[in-house]
Amino acid sequence: MTADQHRDPVISLRSVTAELGSRPVLRGIDLTVRRGEVVALLGANGSGKSTAVRTVIGQVPVTGGEVELFGTPRRRFRDWARVGYVPQRTTAAGGVPATVTEVVSSGRLSRARFGVLRRADREAVRHALELVGLADRAKDSVDALSGGQHQRVLIARALASAPELLIMDEPMAGVDLASQEVLAATLREQVAAGTSVLLVLHELGPLEPLIDRAVVLRDGCVLHDGPPPRAVGQHALPGHDHVHPHAAHDAEPIRTGLLS
Amino acid sequence: MNLDILDYAFMQRALLAAVLVGITAPAVGIYLVQRRQALLGDGIGHVAMTGVGLGFLLSWSPVWMATAVSVLGAVLMELIRWYGRTRGDLALAMLFYGGMAGGVMFINLAPGGSNANLTSYLFGSLSTVSEEDVTAICLLAAFVVLVTVGLRRQLFAVSQDEEFARVTGLPVRVLNLLTAVTAAVTVTVAMRVVGLLLVSALMVVPVAAAQQLSRSFAATFAISVAIGVSVAVGGTVTSYYQDVPPGATIVLLTIGAFVLLTVAAAPLARRRTRAASRAAAQEAADPAECVIPDGRPPAGKAGV
């Protein structure tokens, strides 16, 4: 992967720390996603992977370190149309009925001036729905969809602004096998077109062939950063120290430093 | 129909106020329901009581004073939601009951004031809607309509999924504050007609009723405003002819509309469920998917 080293980073986290309540969740993590790269962020529940992603989008404030998007400090970053985000949710529905098109149109707001959607915007929304294979459900209420279709709606919403960077938090959670295949195919097309991707995953699953690099978190520290850990099965990753015998060196000093 | 109801100036004012309340309350309420804060309006109503009390105490217009105080309360609630994440519900409870207690206290401190003055604000009263109340209500309603219709896409996005809205570059905090302030303004618009204790019903129940029929947000918005105007005008007219309190009449009519639409929509929902499971069965390619819908048809009964 030496060719990757000199490509511009689209996401860059340097010694980022963050707290939820007063509990430290990130204890100084480094994470870089370069242009065109597909990076999986792995780890057990509570390891801080979702929090790490939320510091990137600004939903969780950082208490230390730097977060940059496309080379701009996140606080000054305004070009949100370049970022597509799929939050960790099991449903696309809110408290009021909404059609698939209405939900996906929200994703176009970053390109629409004053929230006015023009013909090109409607076209983009329709195209995003085609990408996830839901064009025929455009006028249906999201309440009428299956779990996997909800996830596809959320991904179409992220794709509506034609982003250069996709950030997805557990896009495969609660998704049936058929939808998983559709999602993997959609993602493959995006990656082939040059989109960079940061994925939070619980297990690699059908996305495994797409992934260039895996970053494994444990207790808010980076445990492994390199090729996806192929040896492990679906009971994957963290906790299984024997897979990454070298990692303890990296992790220990950071943790003891903060706890003492 | 006998239109002598329009001969009285106070009834003209009351009907105008009713129409504006019927439009604004569901227009804001739909966003509160969408963000699952259906009872926010109720809380603001409690806080507004302090404003009414202060208005009496200082001999200022209770409507404007209630607007100021409830906007302040709404902003405070939003701030509590940001910073006091841990026990936000307790802080809100204190705000609500503090607001109510403040209202009772101030009005009793006011010269010649008693809880009786408060009653018309708590439960609504048509005959006391004054000329200047109507001016205030018109201005405030114009603001509410401007925000809820003009910013509908932004408010929809933020209310649907706040985390995602942040990544579209929307000013999420400003929009949250704006929603809270607009809800506060709506409470004071509706205060004279429906009353502070019942105002939340007119924000939430028409939306709940409209949901029985609609599949889209736009349709829910339109239907709930139509229901809101119908029940507000209907309740006002009924209270004129039958001499019953307008607020209670309007709320009961709204709940009646909800029940009616729920019953009427049951066959519709059943048909949709069947169509949806048919579509799902067609779409699913692998057998694992096909088997499940086949086992389901009895679920047609679970319409609502």
Side-chain angles (χ1 to χ4, degrees):
Chain A
M1 301 247 164
T2 44
D4 289 338
Q5 298 302 319
H6 46 78
R7 277 192 277 173
D8 310 330
V10 290
I11 297 178
S12 138
L13 268 61
R14 281 191 295 273
S15 353
V16 167
T17 58
E19 298 176 351
L20 290 181
S22 55
R23 188 172 62 90
V25 180
L26 300 179
R27 304 162 188 260
I29 66 161
D30 295 302
L31 171 67
T32 307
V33 179
R34 294 175 191 283
R35 189 173 298 280
E37 214 178 9
V38 181
V39 176
L41 194 54
L42 306 163
N45 291 331
S47 60
K49 48 192 198 314
S50 282
T51 308
V53 161
R54 288 186 179 140
T55 61
V56 175
I57 62 154
Q59 181 77 16
V60 170
V62 298
T63 49
E66 290 166 52
V67 179
E68 286 185 357
L69 279 164
F70 295 96
T72 310
R74 200 202 53 75
R75 288 197 160 280
R76 286 195 279 117
F77 184 77
R78 292 288 173 273
D79 211 358
W80 287 107
R82 299 170 81 180
V83 183
Y85 177 56
V86 181
Q88 182 180 19
R89 298 186 63 157
T90 51
T91 166
V96 171
T99 63
V100 170
T101 301
E102 282 175 326
V103 172
V104 175
S105 297
S106 293
R108 194 65 192 172
L109 283 177
S110 52
R111 293 220 185 256
R113 220 169 234 280
F114 307 119
V116 182
L117 295 185
R118 300 198 164 71
R119 179 195 288 268
D121 298 312
R122 286 178 223 288
E123 194 57 34
V125 168
R126 207 181 49 79
H127 180 64
L129 281 172
E130 277 168 7
L131 286 175
V132 298
L134 283 180
D136 55 327
R137 309 297 301 269
K139 289 198 161 65
D140 288 358
S141 169
V142 285
D143 295 322
L145 301 181
S146 71
Q149 288 169 332
H150 274 271
Q151 208 63 43
R152 280 149 74 179
V153 169
L154 295 177
I155 289 171
R157 183 176 67 173
L159 293 177
S161 68
E164 298 162 46
L165 165 65
L166 266 176
I167 301 174
M168 306 169 119
D169 196 348
E170 303 244 14
M172 295 303 197
V175 173
D176 55 85
L177 215 60
S179 282
Q180 282 196 14
E181 292 303 330
V182 175
L183 292 184
T186 309
L187 207 56
R188 206 174 306 130
E189 280 173 44
Q190 293 298 313
V191 172
T195 309
S196 323
V197 184
L198 176 61
L199 279 161
V200 173
L201 288 178
H202 207 71
E203 56 187 52
L204 292 173
L207 297 178
E208 184 165 359
L210 286 172
I211 290 163
D212 299 320
R213 192 153 57 82
V215 175
V216 181
L217 295 188
R218 180 172 158 195
D219 293 336
C221 299
V222 175
L223 194 68
H224 166 94
D225 186 346
R230 296 193 190 282
V232 293
Q234 76 264 41
H235 307 291
L237 316 156
H240 292 241
D241 279 305
H242 57 276
V243 180
H244 314 285
H246 57 282
H249 290 293
D250 307 336
E252 280 310 317
I254 303 172
R255 266 192 294 166
T256 47
L258 279 172
L259 286 174
S260 59
Chain B
M1 187 185 152
N2 187 358
L3 285 178
D4 66 341
I5 184 172
L6 289 175
D7 292 344
Y8 299 98
F10 82 89
M11 274 316 288
Q12 291 171 1
R13 291 198 294 267
L15 280 171
L16 178 61
V19 169
L20 293 177
V21 169
I23 295 170
T24 52
V28 174
I30 192 166
Y31 298 108
L32 300 185
V33 173
Q34 197 188 3
R35 41 200 314 156
R36 303 181 199 280
Q37 296 180 341
L39 294 178
L40 187 76
D42 196 44
I44 296 173
H46 285 62
V47 174
M49 285 173 67
T50 293
V52 172
L54 266 181
F56 272 102
L57 183 62
L58 304 173
S59 319
W60 288 343
S61 154
V63 172
W64 285 114
M65 208 59 206
T67 309
V69 172
S70 55
V71 163
L72 213 68
V75 170
L76 210 60
M77 275 185 238
E78 205 47 44
L79 292 178
I80 289 172
R81 209 164 71 83
W82 291 345
Y83 297 111
R85 223 158 282 181
T86 37
R87 296 317 309 261
D89 55 334
L90 294 183
L92 289 180
M94 271 185 274
L95 196 64
F96 293 177
Y97 304 121
M100 191 149 63
V104 173
M105 184 58 82
F106 285 134
I107 208 147
N108 280 290
L109 288 177
S114 73
N115 288 347
N117 302 69
L118 211 49
T119 309
S120 80
Y121 290 89
L122 288 181
F123 300 108
S125 152
L126 295 178
S127 53
T128 55
V129 179
S130 70
E131 197 84 44
E132 68 181 86
D133 284 345
V134 169
T135 314
I137 289 174
C138 284
L139 288 174
L140 295 172
F143 167 77
V144 172
V145 170
L146 211 66
V147 169
T148 54
V149 177
L151 294 177
R152 63 190 182 283
R153 288 192 189 281
Q154 289 88 337
L155 292 179
F156 172 85
V158 169
S159 308
Q160 186 82 7
D161 190 339
E162 192 177 302
E163 205 178 336
F164 177 80
R166 201 175 288 279
V167 184
T168 59
L170 288 175
V172 171
R173 291 193 164 184
V174 174
L175 289 169
N176 280 340
L177 271 180
L178 194 63
T179 309
V181 167
T182 311
V185 169
T186 307
V187 166
T188 47
V189 168
M191 170 174 78
R192 298 305 271 137
V193 178
V194 201
L196 288 172
L197 291 185
L198 299 174
V199 67
S200 189
L202 203 52
M203 294 172 116
V204 172
V205 184
V207 179
Q211 285 189 14
Q212 306 301 319
L213 295 179
S214 60
R215 280 186 295 178
S216 72
F217 185 83
T220 311
F221 194 108
I223 297 173
S224 58
V225 167
I227 294 173
V229 172
S230 314
V231 296
V233 171
T236 307
V237 172
T238 308
S239 88
Y240 171 78
Y241 285 112
Q242 302 298 324
D243 194 25
V244 285
T249 315
I250 291 171
V251 171
L252 289 176
L253 276 178
T254 320
I255 292 174
F258 173 80
V259 172
L260 206 72
L261 288 180
T262 307
V263 173
L268 193 73
R270 214 171 301 147
R271 204 161 49 230
R272 270 185 200 149
T273 314
R274 242 181 322 211
S277 63
R278 230 188 352 259
Q282 269 172 6
E283 185 187 321
D286 62 334
E289 278 278 294
C290 287
V291 172
I292 300 161
D294 282 352
R296 265 192 189 161
K301 266 190 181 170
V304 178

